Amino acid sequence: MWKQMIPGLRMMILLTVLTGLVYPSLVTAICQAVFPKQANGSLLMRNGKVAGSALLGQTFQSARYFHSRPSAAGAGGYDASSSSGSNLGPASRKLAERVQADKQAAGLTNAVPSDMLTASGSGLDPHVSPANARLQIARVSSARGVSESGMRRLVDQFTQGREFGLLGEPRVNVLLLNLALDEQYPNQ
Amino acid sequence: MTTNGILQIIAYFGLLAAVTKPLGAYMARVFMGERTFLHPVLRPLERLCYKLAGVREDSEQRWTQYAASLLSFSFFSFLFVYGIQRLQGWLPLNPMGFGTAHGPSNATAITPDLAFNTAASFVTNTNWQSYAGEMTVSYFVQMAALTVQNFVSAAAGVAVAVALIRGFARQEANSVGNFWVDLVRAVTYVFLPLSLAGALLLCSQGVIQNWSSYTQAVTLEGAAQVIAQGPVASQEAIKLIGTNGGGFFNANSAHPFENPTPFTNLLQMLMIFLVPASLTYTFGRMVGEQRQGWAIFSAMSLLFLLGALIVYGAEQAGNPHLARLGVESSATTLQPGGNMEGKEVRFGIAATSLFAAVTTGASCGAVNAMHDSFTALGGLVPLFNMQTGEVIFGGTGAGLYGMLLFAILAVFLAGLMVGRTPEYLGKKIEGKEVKMAMLAMLATSATILLFTGASAVIEFTKDAYWNGSFGSAINNLNNGGPHGFSEILYAYTSATGNNGSAFAGLSANTPWYNLTIGLAMMFGRFLIIIPILAVAGSLAAKQKLAATSGTLPTHGVLFVMLLAGTVVIVGALTFFPALSLGPIAEHLLILQGRLF
């Protein structure tokens, strides 16, 4: 056993330098040079300030915006330094009560898309389903005083299909949609 | 289940089967010391490692020396990871000031018990996390402590598997290889090139890689949003390829900065099974009979696909409680249906269910959704996958050596039925091999069940050291009823299986849970590795017997079924009572409309 201790220590230090310092530094250097936008978080700028990341959701409460899914990240939701799901199980009374309360608060009476009242795993899901976005068109159009058909076209434009026609799910990026909304219908 | 969902699963499995042979053949060359196309670049690096560490490349070790080398390496790794975490406040690359007076007010302090848990976790290739990455550890800890262990614990697993393969391949030998050589080769020829390519590919799709401090953003509605940053891509790649699973962020691969698109999700699932699946081919090549490797691959595939379909079916069926409130459970072209609590829209139900089956079949533990919010049966499969001992492809190396233990048991059972001395790959399976296989299985099963039982009943004084303000250990649960029990069972199952995923509602960052989960991880790692190496040593010393008409062929459909059956029966017999108290009871109560 003792004979193996010295190589053990040396090997540990050596591999730490190789895989813990050289490798991540090399990856950082290449990524910063070749993919600077992605490597720094796909940040979106508005009026010279960071308005968020194209990959991360935000809280929207105003009727003038499309709303994201419920979020369990941080105290107020969509805290991008405290990612988290609700971790409520299928038989959780808290979950059922939350869904019911959110449904009433949003004035929804019919069936709702499965993503609309459920919190995501990260609490930072940037997307909603196309059905979810379409259900919100009437509210946003009336709050902005624009036609529902124009709004519908915008939602369709921001609806992404499955990747390569196969992977994942069709989806709408809420932040990108709302940014476009502010651009196209600024002062209405 | 939708056609698209089934197609996603088929496409994934097809890609996996396609990469198994080329990578498996490459690894066989690496571990047999033959030249590969990467030798011009990596051979000098490999030799430099031996030189600096003072290791002789051509020396061979008996199984006891091999085990001692592994233990000494793990011991120093453990001390180092523990120390780096505790000292992070004094170390560089810490823009958020974790562990210092000016760190974020809601940061988690790294207490001795948390540091112990994390060190045990990463050294054993488990990557259970009692902490939330973005609010606890500096970039230096993520890189120099955690990323390193992701590489070397995975490489050590591969080394043990290779030693066991040599046990079958050699005859009348007293050595099983050299741990240091196998370790260095696994790191330099397998994990480094794969991770480098993986990291760059992930970054190109949006995974971040920087050393900046967290970004202050102002949202469209004028609120402040702090965006966590860090060197994620480099850690993400090896987190998956090394079947480690420890997320840079709390939400792991559900976090858009770790796993931004459906394409990266597919890549991540492939990265998880890449090495474990390919090792079955390496095994066939090294024992000189390729179909033996494919038999193991087939048994693993059978169990994997069954599990994936069950999770998918259960998650797509959705949660009856929410359906009653008007949440749609069937998929349409415009929304995913099913149980979306804890899941991301970009992945939907199929890609999430598949990921869950992959990550728990492999002892990876990365998650792209919160398993705690799965339906009762959807959560049962991940639990069961881990309780098989992580042999459904399993961890890098660990999956193969675990499955070979089951193969030893399977031929032993078959031998009992027909009354012949069992053989596997021409080696007689005798008392010593079967005893060691049983020792490994009993030690891990006992660890899971005893710790789960203890946590379900143990009481502590409120505000005492052991469980802080929670008092009794069941007050750390996030859910009531049978699901609460499942949270405890999942924790110790995951720890002992060296998986690392969680029913994350459990508040595990208390001394009681940190210490017991930490111990479970070490038992689950070393109480398997040591018996495995003993088996390797014992097998290597034996002669290879020629197959006769009385030998049970171990490459056909019959053996594949026997092997898969052994895995299921051993797992089911051991854990069925515990599963009945958890997910099975929960499922029945949900059908009755009960809430907790």
Side-chain angles (χ1 to χ4, degrees), chain B residues 59-221:
Chain B
S59 70
E60 284 270 328
Q61 293 176 319
R62 307 171 74 87
W63 81 265
T64 44
Q65 294 166 314
Y66 200 97
S69 303
L70 185 145
L71 290 176
S72 104
F73 183 73
S74 298
F75 172 73
F76 285 114
S77 296
F78 175 86
L79 288 186
F80 184 75
V81 176
Y82 181 92
I84 294 262
Q85 290 179 83
R86 295 281 290 153
L87 297 173
Q88 68 166 343
W90 286 272
L91 293 166
L93 286 176
N94 186 8
M96 299 310 291
F98 292 119
T100 68
H102 57 272
S105 56
N106 53 343
T108 306
I110 300 189
T111 53
D113 58 287
L114 176 57
F116 165 82
N117 182 280
T118 305
S121 178
F122 280 76
V123 169
T124 59
N125 196 251
T126 310
N127 294 30
W128 170 272
Q129 294 169 296
S130 286
Y131 63 93
E134 65 265 50
M135 270 298 144
T136 312
V137 288
S138 71
Y139 299 160
F140 189 78
V141 174
Q142 299 268 28
M143 287 165 42
L146 307 185
T147 302
V148 173
Q149 289 310 313
N150 283 355
F151 275 98
V152 296
S153 66
V158 171
V160 172
V162 169
L164 180 60
I165 296 173
R166 290 196 190 106
F168 285 109
R170 291 178 177 183
Q171 45 182 339
E172 296 178 66
N174 60 11
S175 65
V176 294
N178 182 316
F179 173 72
W180 305 116
V181 173
D182 291 337
L183 179 77
V184 167
R185 286 185 182 158
V187 169
T188 52
Y189 290 94
V190 180
F191 291 110
L192 263 180
L194 286 173
S195 299
L196 189 60
L200 298 181
L201 197 52
L202 288 174
C203 185
S204 75
Q205 301 299 306
V207 178
I208 61 173
Q209 179 74 23
N210 62 64
W211 291 338
S212 318
S213 62
Y214 295 1
T215 305
Q216 307 283 335
V218 181
T219 69
L220 298 202
E221 292 195 338

Side-chain angles (χ1 to χ4, degrees), chain A residues 4 23 28 32 39 50 61-62 69 83 86-91 93 98 103 112 114 119 122 125 163 166, chain B residues 4 69 72 134 204 209-210 218 221 234 250 263 319 325-326 328 335 337 341-345 373 478-479 596:
Chain A
Q4 308 301 334
Y23 158 74
T28 308
Q32 286 291 334
V50 179
Q61 289 168 325
S62 154
R69 302 174 66 192
S83 60
S86 73
N87 286 311
L88 294 171
R93 173 167 283 124
R98 190 199 77 202
K103 192 178 173 191
V112 294
S114 63
S122 62
D125 194 343
E163 214 162 357
L166 175 71
Chain B
N4 167 268
S69 303
S72 104
E134 65 265 50
S204 75
Q209 179 74 23
N210 62 64
V218 181
E221 292 195 338
S234 55
N250 186 44
F263 173 57
N319 180 346
L325 296 171
E328 286 198 48
Q335 56 93 39
E341 181 70 20
K343 294 188 184 65
E344 306 284 303
V345 169
S373 295
N478 191 40
N479 286 278
F596 295 92

Side-chain angles (χ1 to χ4, degrees), chain B residues 208-533:
Chain B
I208 61 173
Q209 179 74 23
N210 62 64
W211 291 338
S212 318
S213 62
Y214 295 1
T215 305
Q216 307 283 335
V218 181
T219 69
L220 298 202
E221 292 195 338
Q225 189 184 39
V226 179
I227 299 175
Q229 299 283 2
V232 178
S234 55
Q235 187 161 340
E236 191 71 14
I238 186 61
K239 159 190 134 180
L240 301 156
I241 295 168
T243 61
N244 298 280
F248 195 95
F249 300 113
N250 186 44
N252 209 299
S253 281
H255 196 299
F257 277 174
E258 290 200 25
N259 191 4
T261 68
F263 173 57
T264 57
N265 192 61
L266 176 76
L267 271 180
Q268 298 210 343
M269 293 188 292
L270 278 173
M271 287 156 93
I272 294 173
F273 269 175
L274 193 58
V275 173
S278 302
L279 274 174
T280 62
Y281 191 90
T282 309
F283 163 70
R285 175 67 59 91
M286 288 178 74
V287 298
E289 202 181 339
Q290 209 57 64
R291 56 191 182 174
Q292 300 288 351
W294 287 118
I296 300 282
F297 179 90
S298 305
M300 290 172 164
S301 302
L302 181 67
L303 293 168
F304 160 62
L305 289 171
L306 274 176
L309 289 175
I310 295 173
V311 185
Y312 182 31
E315 291 307 301
Q316 189 66 66
N319 180 346
H321 285 309
L322 298 193
R324 265 195 292 281
L325 296 171
V327 174
E328 286 198 48
S329 46
S330 359
T332 64
T333 49
L334 294 176
Q335 56 93 39
N339 170 28
M340 282 299 286
E341 181 70 20
K343 294 188 184 65
E344 306 284 303
V345 169
R346 62 191 179 282
F347 307 140
I349 304 289
T352 303
S353 305
L354 184 60
F355 198 109
V358 170
T359 196
T360 54
S363 67
C364 182
V367 292
N368 77 346
M370 293 302 120
H371 290 186
D372 212 349
S373 295
F374 275 22
T375 60
L377 297 182
L380 171 73
V381 172
L383 256 172
F384 187 78
N385 277 353
M386 296 188 290
Q387 287 167 346
T388 62
E390 297 291 14
V391 296
I392 305 173
F393 293 105
T396 55
L400 182 66
Y401 63 65
M403 196 52 135
L404 291 177
L405 272 194
F406 273 109
I408 287 174
L409 266 195
V411 294
F412 173 68
L413 293 176
L416 286 181
M417 286 189 261
V418 297
R420 278 181 56 96
T421 309
E423 290 164 24
Y424 187 53
L425 304 175
K427 294 290 175 109
K428 262 194 183 144
I429 303 301
E430 293 168 301
K432 178 160 185 197
E433 289 78 29
V434 177
K435 276 183 206 158
M436 286 296 155
M438 284 317 298
L439 174 68
M441 285 176 197
L442 288 175
T444 49
S445 308
T447 302
I448 295 173
L449 294 174
L450 292 176
F451 277 133
T452 302
S455 288
V457 296
I458 199 161
E459 298 190 3
F460 299 102
T461 319
K462 203 168 152 55
D463 294 321
Y465 171 75
W466 285 103
N467 207 26
S469 59
F470 291 104
S472 300
I474 55 164
N475 293 339
N476 302 42
L477 307 177
N478 191 40
N479 286 278
H483 199 80
F485 176 75
S486 300
E487 286 182 343
I488 301 178
L489 179 63
Y490 198 106
Y492 291 107
T493 301
S494 168
T496 310
N498 292 161
N499 183 278
S501 68
F503 272 9
L506 177 74
S507 300
N509 189 17
T510 66
W512 165 258
Y513 280 107
N514 277 336
L515 293 177
T516 52
I517 288 173
L519 287 175
M521 294 189 279
M522 296 215 238
F523 293 162
R525 175 84 165 174
F526 299 112
L527 291 184
I528 291 187
I529 282 184
I530 295 170
I532 290 278
L533 289 173

